[in-house]
Amino acid sequence: MTGPLAGRSPLSAEDGVNGALAAHRAVPATTFSDAMSLLGSTGSVIALTLLACLALLCVPRVPRWREALFLAVSVAAQSAVFVLVTLVVDRPRPDVPHLDPAPPTSSFPSGHVGASMALFGGLAVLAAGRLRGARRNVVVGLLLLLPLAQAGSRMYRGMHHPSDVAAGLLNGACTLLVVAYALLPGIWAAAGPAAGGALPAARPGGGGRTSTGVRGRVVVVRHPHACGSGTAATLRAVLRRHGYADQVWAQTSADEPCGALAALLAGADTSLVVVCGGDGTVRACADVLAGSGIPLAIVPCGTGNLLARNLGLPSAPAAALEEGLSGQAVGLDVGRLDGDGLTPTRFVVMAGAGFDAAMVRDASQRLKARLGWVAYVVAALRHLRDPRMRLSIRLDGGAPLERRARMVVIGNVGSLQGGLPLLPDARPDSGRLELVLLDPRGPGGWLAAAGHLASRAKSGSARPAPGGSGRRAARGALEYFSAARIELRFTRAQPRELDGEALPAGTRVTAEVEPGALRVCLPVPARGGTPQEQVPERVPEGAERAGVTDGAEGAAALTAGD
């Protein structure tokens, strides 16, 4: 930079760029550059970073510790890189009149630009994960323009060469990538093809039809007992009708609940994955697909099919596939579960401990085959008098909350069988997980909880009484929380479950959301089919309006056309 390369292009042309900018200075541009120079100064960056971190910790109902730490570490880390590089590269500033006092540091790299990129770029990363639709594009675009404006202003004021500001932008951008990787584990799923939710094309085939009208390769994962040969033949015909002639079918097994899906995806390009089974099969496949950008079509063939019900898919397998392929691929959240004795894995419906996990563990396989989800009710009756458990809850890294409960459930979606809205606030595109504690006291408490849930299922209401995170309902039998990261600790080992499958008992559970990590093919109902009062505020980008209905069907319908 300061030796052999200084006389070679493009570095040899930089003095000409600085000279041209200095020769054409005018009052409006100088005034603008004054403001940009002040905005990128050390004092301003420190003050704005502190204000942003305080806002992240104080404004939301649950402090966003991880996001505040991400922003603070990014700004501090780029400053450390800047100081180190200036000690190594002693480059003089451009030989033009300077509009600012020249600090004693090297011209390379630009500290103003690096700090602006770390601060405003970091805010853009956070905004991209929280906002949706046109508002996200506007906010992220404006935030990313600020470092670029800062770069132009520093050259205009004669303080840096073009390569200096380019290195400052690179410093800030690389710092954001490293710190985001360390502190925001869900950011890669949200930033990839799944973040916006919808495919560019009208159909979710992953690339559309070729010139011959044929779509790409589809992998079909089939549970052999839940999806019989007759159903499989019907599904083959539906796929062929939609242009999927290249079909690869795989069966699940006890050893491979996702049917060797990972190996099949590694072998060739895949446009679509179809899962024919229950929530356990869907969960195993979602664990492989999350963050890949490959669309998933769900064909409900299991006992509960809670995810399909919550997403508004028909219960008939062929109809569910037909509507999914005719709709859109939408980016939905997944949860990531960890704990003592557990291999970290993803879930798409609910995870729990205590009463519900014991119910799942002890449900008779024979009754499940004959009666479906009623088998869980029979198992639940055996555990009504189980002792309460003591636990502590940490939400987004906050202070522990000590509680007693009979059951704790973490949900990505909210409705149980029969449309019971156990987690009325849960939505698979919210970027958060919902938590409910069930702690009824005596027969009256059980009746109050059951009556509260039944009344909301009957009325179709999706919202509990106002009160924010930590609110109670059903005379204290139910308590609700919301967070992006939930940590649970039990004083004694408790039974645990994940999407309807029993897990080994343990004393710890940690769940964290991965926003928009999974692309799911969903039907698009008629424009007027969803009551306006049931439409929530946030929507995945591309699916212009997401409606939630928690009535007897307990389904979340995604409708287009906002």
Side-chain angles (χ1 to χ4, degrees):
M1 185 70 68
T2 59
L5 296 181
R8 296 185 180 183
S9 180
L11 296 183
S12 60
E14 290 191 313
D15 288 338
V17 174
N18 289 110
L21 290 173
H24 293 84
R25 287 171 180 166
V27 174
T30 301
T31 302
F32 177 77
S33 69
D34 284 339
M36 288 295 101
S37 186
L38 177 62
L39 186 65
S41 65
T42 302
S44 297
V45 168
I46 292 175
L48 290 173
T49 302
L50 289 175
L51 287 175
C53 292
L54 287 173
L56 289 168
L57 297 177
C58 300
V59 174
R61 62 184 181 182
V62 177
R64 295 173 181 168
W65 290 96
R66 188 177 293 266
E67 295 179 351
L69 185 63
F70 158 73
L71 196 62
V73 171
S74 297
V75 173
Q78 73 78 31
S79 297
V81 173
F82 161 73
V83 171
L84 176 63
V85 175
T86 57
L87 294 177
V88 177
V89 182
D90 186 16
R91 189 185 197 189
R93 297 189 181 272
D95 188 17
V96 297
H98 301 159
L99 297 184
D100 289 331
T105 56
S106 167
S107 179
F108 181 90
S110 172
H112 281 67
V113 174
S116 293
M117 189 64 195
L119 173 58
F120 298 113
L123 291 173
V125 169
L126 299 181
R130 292 289 175 180
L131 303 179
R132 290 291 185 269
R135 184 172 62 168
R136 177 173 69 172
N137 297 335
V138 171
V139 172
V140 171
L142 290 175
L143 287 170
L144 292 180
L145 281 176
L146 290 175
L148 297 177
Q150 186 72 239
S153 297
R154 296 303 287 169
M155 291 190 297
Y156 174 86
R157 300 180 70 79
M159 305 308 298
H160 292 288
H161 306 89
S163 57
D164 300 336
V165 299
L169 291 171
L170 186 63
N171 176 20
C174 290
T175 302
L176 288 174
L177 287 174
V178 173
V179 179
Y181 181 82
L183 298 179
L184 301 179
I187 198 67
W188 307 114
L199 288 168
R203 290 176 180 268
R209 295 180 186 273
T210 65
S211 59
T212 61
V214 178
R215 292 184 181 273
R217 175 177 182 257
V218 58
V219 174
V220 184
V221 178
R222 167 184 166 234
H223 191 294
H225 302 299
C227 179
S229 57
T231 301
T234 302
L235 298 177
R236 284 190 178 93
V238 173
L239 287 169
R240 283 195 296 269
R241 189 162 61 250
H242 281 267
Y244 292 102
D246 185 3
Q247 302 177 21
V248 178
W249 286 68
Q251 289 190 4
T252 66
S253 65
D255 295 331
E256 292 185 325
C258 60
L261 178 60
L264 291 172
L265 295 181
D269 290 338
T270 301
S271 297
L272 177 70
V273 172
V274 178
V275 179
C276 311
D279 289 318
T281 307
V282 173
R283 184 211 63 75
C285 293
D287 193 26
V288 175
L289 287 175
S292 69
I294 300 175
L296 169 67
I298 300 172
V299 179
C301 297
T303 303
N305 302 318
L306 284 182
L307 182 61
R309 292 172 184 267
N310 277 270
L311 296 179
L313 290 169
S315 58
L321 181 59
E322 182 75 43
E323 292 200 15
L325 295 180
S326 301
Q328 293 178 321
V330 177
L332 301 182
D333 307 337
V334 298
R336 186 173 182 84
L337 192 81
D338 196 2
D340 54 318
L342 301 179
T343 301
T345 186
R346 296 179 174 93
F347 66 97
V348 291
V349 182
M350 298 177 186
F355 172 77
D356 73 311
M359 172 187 68
V360 168
R361 180 194 61 196
D362 296 339
S364 167
Q365 295 299 322
R366 182 178 299 178
L367 285 179
K368 285 173 64 176
R370 293 182 178 181
L371 302 177
W373 62 267
V374 178
Y376 293 116
V377 178
V378 176
L381 296 176
R382 299 165 51 189
H383 294 282
L384 288 177
R385 301 186 65 182
D386 284 359
R388 300 160 69 202
M389 56 184 175
R390 298 179 61 182
L391 72 154
S392 67
I393 307 168
R394 288 174 63 94
L395 304 172
D396 291 331
L401 305 174
E402 303 297 329
R403 293 292 190 273
R404 293 195 178 199
R406 297 186 183 276
M407 177 180 85
V408 55
V409 173
I410 302 169
N412 189 41
V413 296
S415 292
L416 301 176
Q417 288 86 353
L420 287 178
L422 179 64
L423 291 160
D425 279 348
R427 288 183 48 207
D429 67 334
S430 65
R432 302 180 72 76
L433 297 172
E434 304 299 320
L435 171 70
V436 62
L437 299 179
L438 176 67
D439 189 27
R441 309 292 178 87
W446 283 105
L447 290 174
H452 174 80
L453 297 177
S455 65
R456 295 197 170 273
K458 183 178 180 181
S459 65
S461 172
R463 299 290 173 182
S469 189
R471 63 181 175 271
R472 295 179 181 268
R475 294 188 293 180
L478 296 166
E479 188 173 11
Y480 298 95
F481 300 91
S482 177
R485 178 182 173 86
I486 300 171
E487 301 171 64
L488 306 175
R489 287 183 177 271
F490 310 102
T491 55
R492 295 184 301 169
Q494 298 293 334
R496 297 175 292 187
E497 62 91 8
L498 184 72
D499 281 357
E501 294 190 354
L503 299 176
T507 60
R508 291 189 293 107
V509 169
T510 299
E512 191 161 10
V513 70
E514 295 183 7
L518 185 67
R519 296 173 77 190
V520 179
C521 300
L522 297 181
V524 180
R527 186 177 293 270
T530 304
Q532 181 67 27
E533 63 271 12
Q534 294 175 346
V535 178
E537 300 106 1
R538 280 193 72 193
V539 296
E541 182 183 59
E544 297 179 22
R545 179 68 65 119
V548 175
T549 58
D550 273 326
E553 293 297 326
L558 296 180
T559 60
D562 182 34

